[in-house]
Amino acid sequence: MNSNCSFEAVDQVMRYLELVIYMPIFLFGLLLNVAALVVFCLFLRKWTESTIYMTSLALMDLLLIFPLPFKMHATNHLWPAHLQPLCSVLESLYFVGIYGSIYTIMCIAVDRWVAICHPFRAKQLRSPKAAFWTCVGVWMLVLAAMSSTIFRFREAGHTAFHCFHSFSKKGWSPQVISCLQVFGFLLPALVVVYCSFKTIWVLKQSGQRSPKSRACVKIIYSSLCAFLVPFTPSHLGILLQFLVHQGVIQDCGAKTNISLFIQIAMCLSNISCCLDAACYYFIAHEVRSTKHTFRLSMISQRRATFSTSEV
């Protein structure tokens, strides 16, 4: 990056803007996710696939929320060099929370697609045990991928530094950014979008307009919004900042605008822990309507099979 290009104005704006954004996200996110865990663990008597996935998602959101006070502090204060290991741990937890949420939402979309679009196969593929081990697999995957990667992003130094900022050149290498964009966002996004719209189409084709069916559609739209709204701008910002580090974008004005954009986008991506509350709100309806949804899908498929056999 061009040393003649000053980012002091951007840093000055973000010192105050991060506090304005992070404080409500931290307070509401903590309250909503703790409340969700209390409901799922204490008040819902039966563990279903949906409640297991949502419990895992709430835990991922809390993992994202935990480092936010440290992130707010690091914006306005330099940390001494001996706190670099602590910073790497906090950064790892933060990114595990982000990408764990992404993959958990993807699993929820796939599980719902199987349940509604393939109800006969769902009897063999879906179970609380399968959902539990899927969540365990997601946790192991993101912990292994993010922790081993983030710890290499900070080179040992002897000067004060800003945690959550100024990753080393290894953090912006083409290999890292390509994997982050493709496997961290684009692939899960394609799966979520496909499963969501396919499920909505099947529900509409069934011809049912019951309140339970409408509630299921609301769940799908809320999950889709909880995925696309926070994570699309942040990954676009990462891509643009990568182009800056690669020298593709050299104009100073463009660099400062991209720096401001990626920092705001990354701040707003944390709102996912609050948007997921929409999923928690509808989860009780989904738990009660699971059998009803199975029945509608099976009747619809039977009708299609019967109609085909008559031709």
Side-chain angles (χ1 to χ4, degrees):
M1 296 178 68
N2 189 357
S3 58
N4 295 326
C5 192
S6 175
F7 296 91
E8 291 183 5
V10 174
D11 294 338
Q12 188 68 22
V13 170
M14 293 309 301
R15 286 191 185 97
Y16 300 100
L17 192 58
E18 281 195 3
L19 293 175
V20 172
I21 296 174
Y22 281 146
M23 284 301 295
I25 289 177
F26 176 76
L27 294 174
F28 285 105
L30 183 64
L31 177 64
L32 292 171
N33 285 281
V34 170
L37 287 177
V38 170
V39 171
F40 293 147
C41 296
L42 299 181
F43 292 98
L44 292 182
R45 298 179 180 179
K46 184 179 180 180
W47 284 97
T48 66
E49 296 86 354
S50 298
T51 53
I52 290 172
Y53 284 123
M54 286 299 177
T55 300
S56 180
L57 184 58
L59 291 173
M60 288 291 187
D61 287 337
L62 287 175
L63 202 62
L64 185 154
I65 291 168
F66 173 73
L68 289 186
F70 300 95
K71 200 169 187 295
M72 286 186 282
H73 181 272
T75 300
N76 298 298
H77 300 85
L78 290 170
W79 287 21
H82 69 272
L83 291 181
Q84 285 194 7
L86 173 62
C87 176
S88 294
V89 170
L90 293 171
E91 289 170 342
S92 297
L93 293 177
Y94 179 75
F95 285 106
V96 165
I98 289 178
Y99 290 99
S101 297
I102 287 176
Y103 269 84
T104 303
I105 293 173
M106 183 190 74
C107 291
I108 292 171
V110 172
D111 178 74
R112 189 175 294 116
W113 169 70
V114 171
I116 295 176
C117 299
H118 303 280
F120 294 106
R121 292 183 182 179
K123 291 184 177 181
Q124 288 77 38
L125 298 176
R126 296 178 77 245
S127 68
K129 185 177 180 180
F132 172 79
W133 286 111
T134 299
C135 292
V136 171
V138 169
W139 277 89
M140 293 178 64
L141 174 65
V142 293
L143 282 171
M146 288 296 122
S147 298
S148 60
T149 303
I150 297 298
F151 269 90
R152 295 199 300 267
F153 284 1
R154 292 204 171 274
E155 299 175 353
H158 303 284
T159 58
F161 66 102
H162 280 291
C163 190
F164 293 95
H165 294 81
S166 303
F167 286 126
S168 66
K169 291 183 179 180
K170 294 179 181 179
W172 292 101
S173 65
Q175 295 84 355
V176 171
I177 299 302
S178 297
C179 290
L180 192 70
Q181 293 286 348
V182 174
F183 298 105
F185 178 69
L186 288 178
L187 182 61
L190 289 174
V191 173
V192 171
V193 171
Y194 172 81
C195 292
S196 297
F197 283 105
K198 188 68 175 178
T199 304
I200 292 171
W201 182 82
V202 170
L203 287 172
K204 290 183 177 179
Q205 287 297 310
S206 67
Q208 301 293 331
R209 302 296 179 185
S210 66
K212 292 181 179 179
S213 190
R214 289 196 296 269
C216 190
V217 171
K218 289 180 181 179
I219 295 169
I220 297 170
Y221 278 123
S222 64
S223 298
L224 193 59
C225 290
F227 185 96
L228 294 177
V229 170
F231 298 127
T232 302
S234 61
H235 285 84
L236 175 60
I238 291 172
L239 177 60
L240 293 174
Q241 189 74 321
F242 168 72
L243 296 177
V244 171
H245 280 271
Q246 294 298 307
V248 177
I249 298 175
Q250 298 183 359
D251 179 70
C252 184
K255 287 181 179 181
T256 54
N257 289 334
I258 290 172
S259 177
L260 180 62
F261 174 75
I262 187 174
Q263 292 187 65
I264 293 176
M266 291 298 294
C267 288
L268 293 176
S269 68
N270 298 290
I271 203 173
S272 62
C273 63
C274 298
L275 293 178
D276 290 338
C279 302
Y280 305 151
Y281 175 79
F282 291 119
I283 191 63
H285 296 283
E286 185 180 33
V287 171
R288 290 195 296 267
S289 63
T290 299
K291 293 182 179 180
H292 176 76
T293 305
F294 277 157
R295 185 166 58 253
L296 292 180
S297 300
M298 293 177 71
I299 290 173
S300 179
Q301 289 195 11
R302 285 171 180 168
R303 287 175 177 174
T305 302
F306 181 73
S307 298
T308 305
S309 64
E310 287 185 334
V311 176

